[in-house]
Amino acid sequence: MEEEVIQTTNRPLILITNDDGIFAKGIRELVKAVKDLGEVWVVAPDKPQSGKGHSVTLDMPLWYSNAKCDEADHAYKCTGTPADCVKMALFRILGRKPDIILSGINHGSNSSINILYSGTMGAAMEGALHQIPSIGFSLLNFTPDADFSTAGKYAHDIVKNVMAMENNQNVCLNVNIPYDEPENIKGIKVTRQCPGEWREDFQKNYHPSNKRPYYWLTGEYRNNAPEATDTDEWALNNGYVSVQPVKVDNTDYEMMQRLQF
């Protein structure tokens, strides 16, 4: 690991990134929520990178520079994707391996199959690849100025618990938080990913200058297991914070036993 900046304390090192960009309210609220748990470093995209998944930049150079992020000990903005930001932090910026990587708080849900497209969870999965406990946080509200106070309290408690766990290097969590008053949230449920799908369409329009057709992706989400009570979608629809453990290994072990060649 190449060292460019020396860590200034012996406190636990917390790396924070996101996919909404370093200027989003959600990342600043996450910094505020966990600042008492360690030394907080932010390395985040310089602009929104939603829907980038676990993509990395291979066709152009990357830049990073100092940035201001309220209450963070150190902050940098990077021209790449969320996964790029984690890589840049690990191999260029930080002086040592972080104790935990946090991504978010995302503006909008990353439950069910949205995890496959999520830049928030792409960053968390990048951390998991390096055996660093990693958590992606999402709030079920897309508005830029949403109230993150309740989400911040749950984020603090979840991070504190994960940091206290023994052998936590393989922990990777997808946390989704309902947007509601604190008294209406019933608690936390450990869940599985809800099977679902996007019924997608491309709206056709015409560019006003040259009349060339262009297409805008739209769609509606369909829950394919509405009666199941152990999924993230059920938890969120019933007033619970959803904590879904995820892992890097995508192997279908059941299908391994069925396949014969």
Side-chain angles (χ1 to χ4, degrees):
M1 181 180 294
E2 185 174 350
E3 179 177 312
E4 282 220 340
V5 180
I6 305 297
Q7 188 188 0
T8 56
T9 74
N10 292 321
R11 303 178 69 205
L13 179 56
I14 300 172
L15 172 63
I16 295 183
T17 190
N18 73 344
D19 74 350
D20 291 312
I22 195 165
F23 301 109
K25 183 179 179 182
I27 194 169
R28 295 165 188 273
E29 293 294 328
L30 183 55
V31 170
K32 186 189 303 182
V34 302
K35 65 177 184 176
D36 67 314
L37 300 177
E39 182 175 344
V40 177
W41 291 60
V42 172
V43 182
D46 63 349
K47 58 182 178 296
Q49 296 277 350
S50 296
K52 298 294 185 180
H54 204 152
S55 65
V56 294
T57 303
L58 302 176
D59 58 349
M60 63 180 66
L62 297 176
W63 291 267
Y64 73 88
S65 59
N66 288 300
K68 181 175 175 55
C69 188
D70 297 341
E71 303 192 49
D73 293 287
H74 304 274
Y76 298 86
K77 57 184 178 180
C78 176
T79 57
T81 66
D84 286 330
C85 290
V86 174
K87 290 178 180 290
M88 188 72 78
L90 295 182
F91 300 111
R92 189 67 187 180
I93 297 174
L94 298 180
R96 69 173 178 87
K97 192 174 185 179
D99 293 276
I100 195 166
I101 295 175
L102 310 178
S103 185
I105 300 169
N106 188 63
H107 294 247
S109 172
N110 277 314
S111 61
S112 187
I113 59 169
N114 293 316
I115 191 175
L116 300 175
Y117 306 104
S118 167
T120 301
M121 285 308 298
M125 295 296 284
E126 181 64 30
L129 284 172
H130 298 281
Q131 291 77 54
I132 301 169
S134 302
I135 311 173
F137 291 99
S138 300
L139 178 67
L140 274 63
N141 188 294
F142 288 96
T143 58
D145 198 37
D147 182 354
F148 284 86
S149 56
T150 299
K153 292 176 182 177
Y154 278 99
H156 176 275
D157 292 345
I158 291 169
V159 171
K160 184 177 180 179
N161 287 341
V162 170
M163 291 178 70
M165 290 175 60
E166 295 184 2
N167 303 316
N168 65 1
Q169 63 271 15
N170 292 321
V171 174
C172 187
L173 304 178
N174 179 22
V175 178
N176 285 273
I177 303 166
Y179 191 70
D180 208 336
E181 297 298 325
E183 60 271 19
N184 294 332
I185 297 181
K186 300 175 183 177
I188 296 175
K189 288 280 188 183
V190 178
T191 63
R192 66 181 175 95
Q193 179 181 321
C194 182
E197 60 183 308
W198 281 98
R199 296 295 180 90
E200 293 170 323
D201 190 17
F202 286 89
Q203 288 186 351
K204 185 177 182 180
N205 295 283
Y206 293 90
H207 196 281
S209 65
N210 56 18
K211 304 304 180 184
R212 183 178 179 181
Y214 66 91
Y215 301 87
W216 198 270
L217 179 62
T218 64
E220 292 184 356
Y221 173 76
R222 175 176 177 177
N223 183 339
N224 289 336
E227 303 304 321
T229 60
D230 60 346
T231 68
D232 49 8
E233 286 292 312
W234 183 92
L236 295 166
N237 289 332
N238 286 273
Y240 292 93
V241 174
S242 167
V243 176
Q244 177 205 350
V246 299
K247 58 182 181 179
V248 174
D249 186 354
N250 290 321
T251 306
D252 186 336
Y253 291 98
E254 179 183 353
M255 186 59 67
M256 282 183 65
Q257 304 302 315
R258 295 173 55 193
L259 289 175
Q260 296 184 10
F261 294 100

